[in-house]
């Protein structure tokens, strides 16, 4: 069993992960509407990954004999000024999620909940990868500037993204 405080915190993170999926799906829609289908694909894959993360929390809560509590998911932003602004939002959002995961680890440590701390270590490493990916893409989009040729190349590159074994 987990403590009542930990149950509440894990449920909050489950809902935060589902929100992340919803946010990235909204970004996919933004890119679909601007005919950047490769960018949209990148975001759809990201949305699927975030929803999968939410399910990891869902399953863990159940495995620990706690109760899953689903809350209303906040409406995500639906428009961005540019692809650059969207990817700046991605990085900012991933940094926020990293903070949430770190807070959960701190709680697990303070409660001496070693099982939950162990469970969360996968997410700690995942957030390093998420921030790194966001920084790399943001750098590419910044490099593209106003170049239609580079944006076309990025769009083609992002269209090839699929869920791989390393992303699970």
């Amino acid at each position: 069993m987990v403590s009542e405080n930990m149950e509440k915190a894990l449920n909050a993170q489950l809902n935060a992960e589902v929100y992340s999926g919803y946010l990235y799906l909204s970004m996919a829609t933004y890119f679909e509407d601007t005919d950047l289908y490769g960018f949209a694909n990148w975001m759809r894959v990201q949305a699927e990954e975030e929803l999968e993360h939410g399910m990891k929390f869902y399953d863990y809560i159940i495995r620990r004999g706690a109760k899953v509590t689903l809350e209303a998911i906040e409406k995500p932003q639906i428009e961005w000024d540019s692809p650059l602004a969207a990817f700046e939002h991605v990085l900012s959002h991933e940094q926020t999620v990293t903070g949430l995961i770190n807070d959960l680890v701190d709680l697990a440590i303070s409660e001496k909940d070693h099982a939950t701390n162990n469970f969360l270590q996968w997410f700690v490493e995942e957030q390093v990868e998420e921030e790194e990916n966001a920084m790399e893409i943001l750098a590419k989009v910044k490099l593209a500037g106003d170049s239609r040729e580079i944006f076309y190349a990025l769009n083609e590159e992002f269209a090839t993204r699929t869920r791989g074994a390393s992303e699970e």
Side-chain angles (χ1 to χ4, degrees):
M1 291 287 299
V2 294
S3 72
E4 201 173 296
N5 197 25
M6 182 59 73
E7 179 180 316
K8 183 178 176 183
L10 289 168
N11 272 292
Q13 189 61 39
L14 183 163
N15 283 278
E17 296 291 343
V18 173
Y19 170 78
S20 294
Y22 208 37
L23 174 64
Y24 290 130
L25 194 56
S26 180
M27 289 180 173
T29 300
Y30 161 75
F31 283 118
E32 292 280 356
D33 290 345
T34 57
D35 295 328
L36 289 170
Y37 303 111
F39 283 73
N41 176 67
W42 194 94
M43 291 296 180
R44 285 178 64 118
V45 171
Q46 193 67 22
E48 291 171 8
E49 183 177 316
E50 298 301 338
L51 294 172
E52 185 177 291
H53 294 171
M55 290 307 298
K56 285 179 186 277
F57 278 95
Y58 179 95
D59 292 337
Y60 182 76
I61 293 165
I62 291 171
R63 286 183 63 213
R64 292 303 306 274
K67 181 176 172 51
V68 169
T69 306
L70 300 176
E71 301 290 340
I73 304 301
E74 177 185 346
K75 181 180 178 182
Q77 182 174 335
I78 59 171
E79 293 290 330
W80 288 266
D81 291 334
S82 65
L84 176 62
F87 278 101
E88 287 172 340
H89 191 169
V90 168
L91 178 58
S92 173
H93 180 73
E94 290 301 337
Q95 290 168 333
T96 297
V97 173
T98 297
L100 295 173
I101 296 294
N102 289 342
D103 290 346
L104 270 173
V105 171
D106 290 345
L107 178 61
I109 290 169
S110 73
E111 292 195 357
K112 297 182 175 152
D113 184 343
H114 302 293
T116 299
N117 184 26
N118 184 60
F119 166 74
L120 292 170
Q121 292 310 304
W122 183 89
F123 290 94
V124 170
E125 179 59 30
E126 179 68 10
Q127 282 311 120
V128 171
E129 291 175 23
E130 295 287 7
E131 286 190 34
E132 179 183 31
N133 288 339
M135 287 186 290
E136 287 176 4
I137 300 248
L138 184 57
K140 288 178 180 181
V141 173
K142 283 181 179 178
L143 179 65
D146 292 329
S147 170
R148 290 178 187 261
E149 292 83 10
I150 296 175
F151 260 96
Y152 176 79
L154 288 176
N155 195 50
E156 293 297 304
E157 175 187 335
F158 297 161
T160 65
R161 183 182 187 201
T162 60
R163 296 271 302 142
S166 66
E167 294 181 18
E168 294 175 4

